[in-house]
């Protein structure tokens, strides 16, 4: 390696790294409907890669093609350098954890976990040892003789995980792994999953519709819409530097303003926003022609709110009336009606306890919102 | 209204049972308590032959119909799009709506034609009745298996395949065990249909091969007979025991299920 960047945590930046899973022009048609539309993707060893999108965006179909349950209409799938496109599911070095867990109801926990090893013809003693170790790892050792219906949701999820990991697959596919768990169990399981992934070094591909889940779990996220990737990147890239309006709106929430580039001032652009009857200043270094149509996205937490205007010379100040307040304890979300009726959302931490029974701002207060030019995302599509 | 319905349902049965213990040879005339008709019944070789024949046919029918019906059901549900699937699905359920007389008549014609063309079957009896019964019971089994399979989560089979089981192995390890209740229900239904059937059996049977319903029918054609009352009583008792047993088994299963659910939620609470 010629430079000093450490690629071990970010192999996708290394031009010399060999992808572990390589997807080329993969397409799946169901009749006239195209579920997955000619996608290309490289996933590297040890990654925890998430496919994120709404229902019907093709993420599950893509995962099922990796597992071998769907035959692609076109394109190829390579895993660890081998073409897997026409290999049946039972011969792929890939295991899947199903959304419904798909535990065999007529077998106990032990038999469920041992099933894959038995099919591989592993020796009895070794099966016993590996199943035991795996159940200890997911802390289900004492439940080994129970049937799936005698377990709670969280326990079933861990049996499913143990069963899909016991064969030491090269790739583990997870279909909405935390979807069926309640909030507290989800958070706990999220970190367990990350630890296990770290410990075993297995490459995880996760399908999820839950952006929070994708953000906390993943090394990288591919956002999907209508069978195609709209952006691939790390959680930070996806959230802070969205590529387009779809991603900006899908991941988190964003206040969106439409406008036209007026002129460039050093590293900033002046953008004329008709809805505000004024200008916003945006930090933007790439080339862009004056007069281009652009969209400005501002995250609710990237703004500050106050009832008084201290510095009248500062840029990017909006004023409005508090329309609604959502008190969340650690912070509050405010819905502000701007002068021309446009509504924008802002979240602001509650750094102080209420004074004289009043929060920072109350209903119908006139407030000023301020944000730095570097916190505005400029989108061209 | 309900009482009225129950009256017509159960009073005849009670009467039947009471009259089976009647000493008198003429059914409606009461001649005192006796079990002589039960003795007469069990001493009759004709009756024993009919019972044996009916049971043999019913067992064979239930077994073969379950196998064929299960295969048909599997093909219809698991293989989503093969050529002529709709036609096959329609044809498999046709026997359900076909009048028995027509099924019996057409099968008789088939057996006669076959006998002339290839010399088989040479005479009609146990074989022809069994074949006839399989043809229509198979349709009932296919319907049961179809509904059971539709309710079965397909990801279970996919999970097995994902873990390295070839398709046939998946069938043996996962699909069939999960279908077991459906298979059992199908088997029992096919058994009952066969034991019950009079019309089709009458058509395709030959000389000397009388099933139990055929025997009963031929005897009561000549008037009510006390020994037939005795036989009907035995049948009622056997059926009643069977129904009670099934109910008890189901109740036990339900209790077990509730205990399991409590067990699972109990662990949940401990965990929190």
């Amino acid at each position: 390696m010629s430079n000093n960047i450490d690629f071990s945590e970010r192999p996708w930046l290394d031009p010399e790294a060999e992808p572990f899973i390589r997807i080329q022009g993969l397409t799946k048609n169901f009749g006239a409907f195209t579920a997955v539309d000619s996608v290309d993707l490289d996933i590297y060893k040890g990654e925890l890669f998430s496919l994120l999108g709404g229902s019907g965006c093709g993420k599950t179909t893509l995962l099922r093609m990796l597992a071998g349950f769907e035959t692609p209409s076109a394109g190829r799938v390579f895993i660890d350098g081998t073409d897997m496109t026409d290999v049946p599911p039972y011969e792929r070095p890939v295991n899947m954890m199903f959304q419904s867990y798909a535990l065999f109801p007529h077998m106990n926990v032990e038999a469920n976990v041992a099933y894959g090893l038995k099919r591989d013809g592993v020796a009895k003693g070794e099966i016993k040892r590996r199943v035991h170790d795996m159940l200890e790892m997911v802390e289900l050792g004492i439940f080994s003789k129970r049937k799936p219906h005698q377990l709670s949701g969280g326990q079933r999820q861990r049996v499913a995980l143990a069963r899909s990991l016991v064969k030491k697959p090269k790739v583990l596919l997870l279909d909405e792994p935390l979807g069926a768990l309640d909030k507290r169990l989800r958070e706990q399981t999220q970190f367990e999953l990350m630890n296990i992934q770290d410990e075993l070094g297995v490459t995880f591909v996760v399908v999820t519709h839950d952006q929070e889940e994708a953000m906390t779990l993943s090394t990288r996220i591919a956002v999907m819409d209508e069978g195609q990737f709209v952006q691939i990147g790390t959680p930070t890239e996806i959230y802070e530097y969205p590529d387009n309006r779809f991603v900006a709106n899908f991941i988190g929430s964003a206040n969106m303003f439409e406008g036209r580039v007026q002129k460039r001032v050093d590293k900033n652009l002046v953008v004329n926003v008709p809805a505000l009857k004024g200008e916003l200043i945006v930090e933007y270094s790439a080339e862009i022609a004056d007069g281009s149509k652009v969209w400005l996205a501002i995250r609710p937490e990237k703004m500050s709110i106050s009832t008084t205007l201290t510095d009248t010379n500062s840029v990017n100040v909006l004023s409005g009336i508090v329309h609604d307040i959502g008190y969340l304890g650690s912070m509050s979300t405010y819905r502000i009606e701007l002068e021309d009726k446009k509504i924008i959302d802002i979240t602001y931490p509650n750094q102080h306890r209420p004074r004289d029974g009043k929060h920072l701002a109350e209903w119908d207060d006139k407030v000023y919102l301020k944000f730095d030019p570097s916190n505005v995302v400029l989108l061209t599509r | 209204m309900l009482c009225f319905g129950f009256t017509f349902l159960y009073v005849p049965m009670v009467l039947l049972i009471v009259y089976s213990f009647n000493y008198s040879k003429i059914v409606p005339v009461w001649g005192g308590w006796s079990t002589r008709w039960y003795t007469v019944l069990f001493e009759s070789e004709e009756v024993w032959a009919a019972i044996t024949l009916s049971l043999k046919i019913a067992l064979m029918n239930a077994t073969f119909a379950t196998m064929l019906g299960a295969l048909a059901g599997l093909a219809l549900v698991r293989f989503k799009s093969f050529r002529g699937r709709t036609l096959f699905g329609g044809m498999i359920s046709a026997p359900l709506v076909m009048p028995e007389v027509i099924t019996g008549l057409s099968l008789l014609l088939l057996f006669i034609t076959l006998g002339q063309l290839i010399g088989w079957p040479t005479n009609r009896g146990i074989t022809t009745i069994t074949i006839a019964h399989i043809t229509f019971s198979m349709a009932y089994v296919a319907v049961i298996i179809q509904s059971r399979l539709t309710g079965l989560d397909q990801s279970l089979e996919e999970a097995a395949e994902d873990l390295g089981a070839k398709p046939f192995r998946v069938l043996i390890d996962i699909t069939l065990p999960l279908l077991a209740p459906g298979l059992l229900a199908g088997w029992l239904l096919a058994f009952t249909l066969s034991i019950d059937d009079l019309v089709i059996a009458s058509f395709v049977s030959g000389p000397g091969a009388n099933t139990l319903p055929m025997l009963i029918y031929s005897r009561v054609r000549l008037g009510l007979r006390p020994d037939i009352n005795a036989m009907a009583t035995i049948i009622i008792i056997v059926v009643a025991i069977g129904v009670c047993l099934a109910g008890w088994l189901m109740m036990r299963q339900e209790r077990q299920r509730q205990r399991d659910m409590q067990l699972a939620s109990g662990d949940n609470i401990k965990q929190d």
Side-chain angles (χ1 to χ4, degrees), chain A residues 242-257:
Chain A
D243 234 16
N244 48 59
R245 280 177 293 157
F246 178 84
V247 176
N249 279 319
F250 188 76
I251 313 289
S253 53
N255 298 299
M256 202 71 78
F257 297 99

Side-chain angles (χ1 to χ4, degrees), chain A residues 12-13 24 27 38 58 65 73 85 102 116 121 132 141 167 169 174 184 195 200 233 236 246 280 294 300 350 360:
Chain A
W12 52 92
L13 294 177
Q24 286 179 335
T27 303
S38 185
M65 285 195 279
S73 308
T85 319
H132 176 262
K167 286 184 75 178
L174 301 103
R184 198 139 49 107
N195 286 338
L200 302 177
T236 310
F246 178 84
L280 290 178
V294 293
N350 291 319
L360 180 72

Side-chain angles (χ1 to χ4, degrees), chain A residues 107-110 128 135 140-147 150:
Chain A
M107 299 183 192
N108 65 23
V109 169
E110 204 172 27
K128 214 176 154 82
L135 286 178
L140 282 175
I142 51 166
F143 296 124
S144 63
K145 298 292 178 215
R146 286 225 189 148
K147 290 274 182 70
Q150 296 170 315

Side-chain angles (χ1 to χ4, degrees), chain B residues 57-68 134 187 190-191:
Chain B
I57 293 173
L59 283 174
M60 278 194 290
N61 167 59
T63 310
F64 282 105
T66 305
M67 290 198 293
L68 290 172
I134 291 173
W187 194 92
F191 187 88

